[in-house]
Amino acid sequence: MKIAIDAMGGDFAPENIVKGVNLAKKELSDVTFQLYGDGAKIRQFLDDETNIEIVETTEIIDFHDDPVAAIKSKKDSSLVRAVTAVKKGEADAVLSAGSTGALLTAGLLLVKRIKQVSRPALMSTLPTADGRGFDMLDLGANTENTAHHLVDFAILGSYYAENVRGINKPRVALISNGAEESKGSPTVKEAHEILSAMSEINFIGNIESRDLLSGGADVVVTDGFTGNAILKAIEGTATVLMKEIKSAIMAGSVTTKIGGALIKKPLSVLKDLMSTDGAGGAAFVGLKAPVVKAHGNSSELAIASALKQIHKMLESDVSGKLVEHFEKMDK
Amino acid sequence: MKIAIDAMGGDFAPENIVKGVNLAKKELSDVTFQLYGDGAKIRQFLDDETNIEIVETTEIIDFHDDPVAAIKSKKDSSLVRAVTAVKKGEADAVLSAGSTGALLTAGLLLVKRIKQVSRPALMSTLPTADGRGFDMLDLGANTENTAHHLVDFAILGSYYAENVRGINKPRVALISNGAEESKGSPTVKEAHEILSAMSEINFIGNIESRDLLSGGADVVVTDGFTGNAILKAIEGTATVLMKEIKSAIMAGSVTTKIGGALIKKPLSVLKDLMSTDGAGGAAFVGLKAPVVKAHGNSSELAIASALKQIHKMLESDVSGKLVEHFEKMDK
């Protein structure tokens, strides 16, 4: 299998991207890594060229570029060329740590939606106290969603959790303002009714956002506006608390050594929330092939983790299975 | 001034409610506390009857009752009688730690909306790292809101922060999926445009939910569905992290004494998030008089804190000022 990689996207590109490939290469011997970007710069960080293809590109899309305009004007950018490789069948999946907006737009225009999926969604795996984790979508690919979009998200998330994370009959829940089925906006109530009648997914009803990190569900479905707000509220809370713990240590009310131990080991959820090293990237689901966005400030570990995630997506053929699922619904 | 108090509502009623009144009475000598409920039970916990009026009621609305049905069927409940006192002008404000739904319904039906406020909202003051705190609304009185509702919330929140919390020109922000004004759902974009043109409030634009606890705004406006999800995501994250810190201490990787110190002092935001003792209650804003909901499991400190908050609302006449503001808009 071939993974196209935007080597020039992200805060620490190409260094962390290429070093992440060096790491992933050791474990994924059946993958060809196609690196799109400035060859000379890429080679500076590359261990060796086994299973590597370097594709020269001349442009870079950065965070200031308007996503839609950049896709059209910077056709020789590492991001557009990497996504185009999937479109042309020259690669099976694509990874970028560059502009989220540009990757979503390029994915939608070039890789294209699965027929019958009305809206693709952005999905990440978040940590839970029990180590199992949960997938949440949509995290902000959309700003408004209908009940039918939410139902599609439930199917996309369920297939992902089962095939990529290996969870048997993943528990799928819908974010609402109460666990009872009578709770929610009209959109949520409508989605609840449709999901309750579906036999192909293990729908467990509504979930409140306070029960996410304690492991209340394996797949958490919500509209892109709410999902984005929940994700950032969790991140913001973790960040502020981490800062408070650190300043407590610095203030000397706790010795450095003990404080350090407290941060390192027991607060695993906090650590997982603060780091993208092991979490993989955000998958743009609902497209015909895996399109994965790594965080802009990804370390080499985070890039390697995202590549392993893509490897699992390709190995399990989750995108192919989803195409098939939605084709059946079409009949 | 007179505050009507539902002495029978909440997990620890009437004990914590009455003990909270004992505490508040020491500081608020200009208040008459009207306690609605079972007189004998109330007197068991009451220090003395100075500035106290006890009003006998025979029924109690509990958490299992359907809010709307209960308001109609349990007319002699402590909750309905306390709210009715405000309607009749026998009290200036009302506090309950009972069913949120029943209090919202009773408030809406009996105390009534301020003319021109399309939808009342539930608002709480949440902690920030710098101790300043912020008010967020709507936390779930509504499940859907229009741009005009959001604009009303901004005005209600701004008046509250200025009058009750004493913040000069409170910075009002709108929750969105990005700080740029181009970000957001169509509803948020429309509200952004209207708020930007308003001179009477200090609108600072969009805010992402990751910037709330670090003090990015004094008043945070969002629809009831998103606000409820954000609030519960913050609570859930704080709860899981608090548990992890506690289990780290129990596991002996940190000594009990040092661990205890770490929890007690430096993690003030975490502590504030986990406790309602000092935060006051959730104000149901947009009604003609203060209607405040204390948490069901409120301690006596939390009840006293909510009574002091109501005292400030009455002293500053924030409800009267809001009635006036919206009357002007009506012309």
Side-chain angles (χ1 to χ4, degrees), chain B residues 2 74 206 210:
Chain B
K2 281 194 183 182
K74 293 188 170 175
N206 289 342
R210 71 156 66 91

Side-chain angles (χ1 to χ4, degrees), chain B:
Chain B
M1 53 185 84
K2 281 194 183 182
I3 303 176
I5 298 157
D6 168 12
M8 310 308 282
D11 305 343
F12 307 106
E15 180 168 351
N16 287 4
I17 315 296
V18 177
K19 287 185 173 170
V21 170
N22 290 336
L23 284 177
K25 223 157 69 80
K26 291 178 192 160
E27 291 183 47
L28 310 175
S29 56
D30 56 343
V31 173
T32 302
F33 300 89
Q34 282 182 343
L35 288 160
Y36 287 79
D38 181 327
K41 285 188 181 161
I42 290 170
R43 284 193 180 87
Q44 252 185 280
F45 302 105
L46 205 57
D47 282 350
D48 67 77
E49 297 196 22
T50 336
N51 294 339
I52 297 282
E53 289 174 17
I54 293 175
V55 183
E56 286 288 346
T57 61
T58 57
E59 292 174 302
I60 295 173
I61 294 179
D62 70 25
F63 294 94
H64 305 293
D65 287 318
D66 174 76
V68 180
I71 297 306
K72 289 179 186 166
S73 65
K74 293 188 170 175
K75 292 226 186 289
D76 198 43
S77 61
S78 51
L79 188 150
V80 171
R81 290 284 302 278
V83 180
T84 305
V86 179
K87 180 195 176 173
K88 291 187 176 166
E90 294 164 5
D92 303 303
V94 58
L95 173 68
S96 175
S99 152
T100 307
L103 186 65
L104 295 190
T105 309
L108 204 53
L109 292 177
L110 302 171
V111 179
K112 292 206 160 66
R113 281 188 296 116
I114 293 171
K115 208 178 158 184
Q116 292 292 318
V117 171
S118 40
R119 294 281 186 93
L122 208 51
M123 185 183 76
S124 278
T125 305
L126 295 167
T128 56
D130 61 8
R132 189 177 167 106
F134 67 98
D135 293 306
M136 185 156 78
L137 73 169
D138 175 26
L139 299 177
N142 306 282
T143 56
E144 281 197 307
N145 290 108
T146 66
H148 287 276
H149 299 163
L150 298 180
V151 171
D152 285 355
F153 297 169
I155 297 165
L156 294 169
S158 181
Y159 267 79
Y160 183 92
E162 183 138 18
N163 286 278
V164 182
R165 294 207 296 131
I167 292 173
N168 187 33
K169 293 190 185 164
R171 296 162 300 148
V172 179
L174 201 53
I175 287 282
S176 194
N177 56 327
E180 310 87 333
E181 70 170 273
S182 63
K183 293 282 186 172
S185 63
T187 302
V188 168
K189 285 183 195 168
E190 189 187 345
H192 191 290
E193 204 183 322
I194 302 171
L195 288 166
S196 298
M198 286 173 71
S199 55
E200 61 264 53
I201 63 167
N202 178 17
F203 179 59
I204 60 165
N206 289 342
I207 190 168
E208 294 184 281
S209 55
R210 71 156 66 91
D211 297 323
L212 301 181
L213 296 192
S214 49
D218 299 309
V219 177
V220 173
V221 173
T222 189
D223 67 276
F225 191 83
T226 309
N228 192 270
I230 291 173
L231 176 69
K232 287 172 180 168
I234 293 173
E235 284 176 359
T237 307
T239 305
V240 166
L241 296 180
M242 188 66 141
K243 255 192 207 160
E244 288 220 331
I245 292 176
K246 278 187 183 159
S247 70
I249 293 166
M250 301 303 267
S253 56
V254 181
T255 71
T256 309
K257 202 176 152 194
I258 292 167
L262 185 63
I263 289 186
K264 258 183 211 142
K265 199 162 158 286
L267 295 182
S268 59
V269 169
L270 187 56
K271 208 190 71 183
D272 289 348
L273 282 170
M274 303 302 297
S275 156
T276 51
D277 283 357
F284 191 34
V285 295
L287 300 182
K288 289 179 178 168
V291 174
V292 173
K293 166 73 175 77
H295 202 281
N297 67 11
S298 288
S299 65
E300 50 190 276
L301 277 175
I303 296 295
S305 153
L307 288 166
K308 283 184 242 172
Q309 171 195 12
I310 294 174
H311 182 258
K312 275 193 198 159
M313 291 173 82
L314 292 174
E315 202 177 42
S316 66
D317 191 27
V318 63
S319 301
K321 285 176 184 166
L322 280 164
V323 169
E324 215 171 284
H325 174 98
F326 283 100
E327 257 170 16
K328 262 187 275 171
M329 288 176 60
D330 200 20
K331 280 171 192 167

